[in-house]
Amino acid sequence: MLIKGATLLTFPQGLTGEADVKVKGGLIQKIGRGLRSESCQTVDASGCILAPGLVEMHAHLREPGMEYKEDIASGSRAAACGGYSAVFCMPNTEPPIDNSSVAEYVFDRGEDEGLCMVLPHGAVTQGRQGKALAPMGEMGTCRAGVKGFSDDGSPVADSEIMRRAMEYARTFDALIISHSEEPSLSAGGQMNEGFNSTFLGLRGIPPESERIGVFRDICLAEKTGARLHLAHLSTAGSVDLVRDAKRRGLPVTCEVATHHFTLDDSGLLGYDTNLKMNPPLRSKEDVAALLEALADGTIDVIATDHAPHAPHEKETEFDKAEFGCVGLETSLGLVLTRLVGEGVLSLADAIAKMTVAPARLMSMERWGYLPAIEEGLAANLVIFDPDAEWTVDAAALKSRSRNTPYDGWRLRGKVRHTIFRGNLVVEDGELALVGDAVAAQARPGGNGARKKKQDERLKTTG
Ligand code: DOR
Ligand code: ZN
């Protein structure tokens, strides 16, 4: 494959100007100007940015157990269309990813689809019940090589359990990912506590619920020396604590989800359940603090917290609706429009928070996965047009669920093509090859081929 005329964005260099990139055997073979090749597929990327494929460190892919919302096939398709080459998925599945069997199942399903890497985070506690530690070491050494641990969806409420989890994680350099929430303050809450919750008559979740959780986990990280990553931060108070922890040199990092810096709680005045998330959308002042924390580097990672839910779980009374929204297919457009377009971050800094930053935190070099554009590296790439304007259409999403708060939004910046392991998996915004066809091509002898063989064996043995 020959990618012609793209503007390269790589790390640590940033934007390095226009070049052609030749991809062969799954690898970036040559980078240069005026490259020519008669026999191969040509991808016209003029006017577009060529960047390393995006890395999502916080998504809910729902498999196993809740495939009616999403599964690894539909989640991989949504991710590829969003420009992602790797997706870390949260363990609040049914059963939860709290042992190596489930972790390997999820990892293998991702390899079978062959559209992006699917890498499971493991639960901190057995069954995500918060009572006893899950076998983190076993998950860490299994085929899925689990590196991040979280009971996301719920906090680890018991501080002693969290302390032991951090001590355990530290022994193998694992990352504890905290869903920071003080349950006695958030219990029964539906949205941010403030003027708007009072006006709507909905029970509020005070910002202090998150801030107290963040403070506790920073204290425990300081005590244990474990690496701590704070998920989906939504409040000014939380990012202040992280800023201070970083100043003191603690091993603390954090992320923001796209919805928390693009929306605030005033949008809930229409009771739209697609705006119901946990942590909730906060005040305009909190959004301003998140933007400042993105700009000054306090926030390391931009994630989506992609949380698909079925129509019957969202189209219901507000207090009965599930928390969360889908995000994999709108994140790049939102980041380019709201952060780069409005001058909050440079293009390179914004994309770094969606590529190198999460890859480094998750030690992805273990997989030979390096989000850079260099000869000899695996070709995991996204080509996007930073100037293309488009309208989000919930009905056209590749995710199995459509619970997006952005339906009808005009965005500037659109994924054109995604290349995974040298294969063009998304071409002109649409899936090029789906499922086993890609897997079989991408990894001869890999899991795609293994599954094919299994299917054939089943056919012949009936
Ligand atoms: O909004 C959310 N949705 N927050 C969470 O913590 C969990 C997630 C989900 O699993 O739906
Ligand atoms: Zn989550």
Side-chain angles (χ1 to χ4, degrees):
M1 182 193 309
L2 183 61
I3 305 163
K4 292 284 289 178
T7 300
L8 260 58
L9 172 57
T10 184
F11 300 99
Q13 298 90 333
L15 283 166
T16 59
E18 209 178 294
D20 303 332
V21 174
K22 201 169 184 181
V23 171
K24 197 174 174 190
L27 305 178
I28 297 168
Q29 192 194 36
K30 196 158 181 53
I31 304 170
R33 282 176 158 257
L35 297 186
R36 279 205 286 162
S37 181
E38 282 72 39
S39 55
C40 67
Q41 180 182 19
T42 303
V43 178
D44 176 17
S46 46
C48 291
I49 306 285
L50 173 67
L54 306 179
V55 176
E56 167 64 282
M57 72 175 285
H58 189 150
H60 297 266
L61 297 187
R62 307 300 192 203
E63 188 175 346
M66 287 175 279
E67 291 83 353
Y68 66 97
K69 299 177 195 250
E70 189 84 286
D71 60 17
I72 288 165
S74 62
S76 297
R77 292 196 286 266
C81 285
Y84 290 90
S85 293
V87 176
F88 287 83
C89 55
M90 283 296 176
N92 62 338
T93 50
E94 193 51 57
I97 308 172
D98 67 353
N99 62 72
S100 58
S101 311
V102 187
E104 288 186 346
Y105 170 80
V106 169
F107 176 79
D108 289 348
R109 284 289 303 112
E111 290 296 300
D112 284 340
E113 293 308 318
L115 295 171
C116 58
M117 284 192 91
V118 174
L119 294 160
H121 290 318
V124 172
T125 65
Q126 291 174 31
R128 298 177 54 255
Q129 297 292 308
K131 302 265 187 313
L133 292 184
M136 297 197 283
E138 174 198 298
M139 288 187 266
T141 51
C142 80
R143 188 158 67 246
V146 180
K147 200 70 171 170
F149 294 91
S150 182
D151 276 1
D152 180 55
S154 326
V156 177
D158 185 316
S159 304
E160 166 69 3
I161 296 271
M162 191 54 136
R163 172 195 176 172
R164 299 299 175 205
M166 287 192 189
E167 287 171 345
Y168 187 3
R170 197 195 157 183
T171 62
F172 60 110
D173 194 38
L175 185 69
I176 293 289
I177 303 173
S178 164
H179 170 121
S180 304
E181 180 179 330
E182 169 45 51
S184 61
L185 284 174
S186 61
Q190 301 297 317
M191 64 174 289
N192 184 41
E193 182 180 293
F195 175 86
N196 290 318
S197 63
T198 307
F199 182 81
L200 290 171
L202 292 172
R203 191 178 174 90
I205 302 172
E208 290 73 18
S209 163
E210 178 178 286
R211 191 180 181 189
I212 290 170
V214 167
F215 181 70
R216 181 201 72 172
D217 287 347
I218 290 175
C219 288
L220 293 176
E222 184 169 10
K223 182 170 188 60
T224 60
R227 290 201 295 136
L228 169 68
H229 179 74
L230 298 147
H232 49 44
L233 293 188
S234 64
T235 71
S238 301
V239 290
D240 273 349
L241 290 169
V242 176
R243 193 176 284 118
D244 176 64
K246 287 187 168 188
R247 210 176 286 138
R248 292 191 290 127
L250 300 180
V252 174
T253 54
C254 71
E255 84 198 12
V256 67
T258 33
H259 45 265
H260 284 127
F261 63 81
T262 52
L263 298 161
D264 62 66
D265 67 353
S266 63
L268 284 148
L269 295 174
Y271 291 99
D272 179 357
T273 57
N274 286 327
L275 296 167
K276 179 177 177 180
M277 1 273 190
N278 187 28
L281 301 178
R282 299 289 187 181
S283 68
K284 290 186 169 42
E285 291 73 28
D286 287 310
V287 173
L290 295 177
L291 294 175
E292 194 186 329
L294 275 162
D296 74 10
T298 302
I299 295 176
D300 304 86
V301 168
I302 299 171
T304 67
D305 199 359
H306 178 80
H309 291 292
H312 71 274
E313 296 167 325
K314 279 294 194 181
E315 291 167 21
T316 181
E317 295 92 320
F318 198 91
D319 61 350
K320 295 207 179 80
E322 296 275 4
F323 290 95
C325 63
V326 292
L328 287 169
E329 295 168 77
T330 45
S331 49
L332 184 64
L334 288 166
V335 165
L336 294 174
T337 307
R338 282 297 175 86
L339 298 183
V340 182
E342 294 181 14
V344 177
L345 287 175
S346 69
L347 180 66
D349 286 349
I351 301 298
K353 290 181 198 294
M354 302 174 87
T355 53
V356 275
R360 200 172 295 142
L361 282 180
M362 299 314 305
S363 316
M364 288 191 73
E365 67 286 350
R366 292 174 302 139
W367 304 101
Y369 188 108
L370 291 169
I373 305 177
E374 283 168 31
E375 291 175 5
L377 289 184
N380 300 315
L381 304 163
V382 59
I383 299 169
F384 60 90
D385 183 341
D387 298 317
E389 294 202 12
W390 60 292
T391 304
V392 179
D393 176 8
L397 295 176
K398 301 293 182 293
S399 171
R400 182 154 300 144
S401 293
R402 321 220 164 271
N403 51 310
T404 173
Y406 304 109
D407 194 26
W409 277 41
R410 286 290 289 172
L411 298 179
R412 190 183 163 109
K414 193 174 191 325
V415 175
R416 287 269 177 248
H417 314 286
T418 311
I419 293 158
F420 179 61
R421 292 178 179 155
N423 287 300
L424 193 62
V425 291
V426 173
E427 188 173 6
D428 266 324
E430 282 302 322
L431 289 158
L433 284 169
V434 185
D436 273 0
V438 174
Q441 272 196 9
R443 291 166 36 88
N447 289 321
R450 178 171 56 79
K451 187 166 183 292
K452 242 182 181 168
K453 257 189 224 147
Q454 274 172 359
D455 290 347
E456 274 159 24
R457 205 164 42 235
L458 274 176
K459 253 185 252 160
T460 50
T461 58

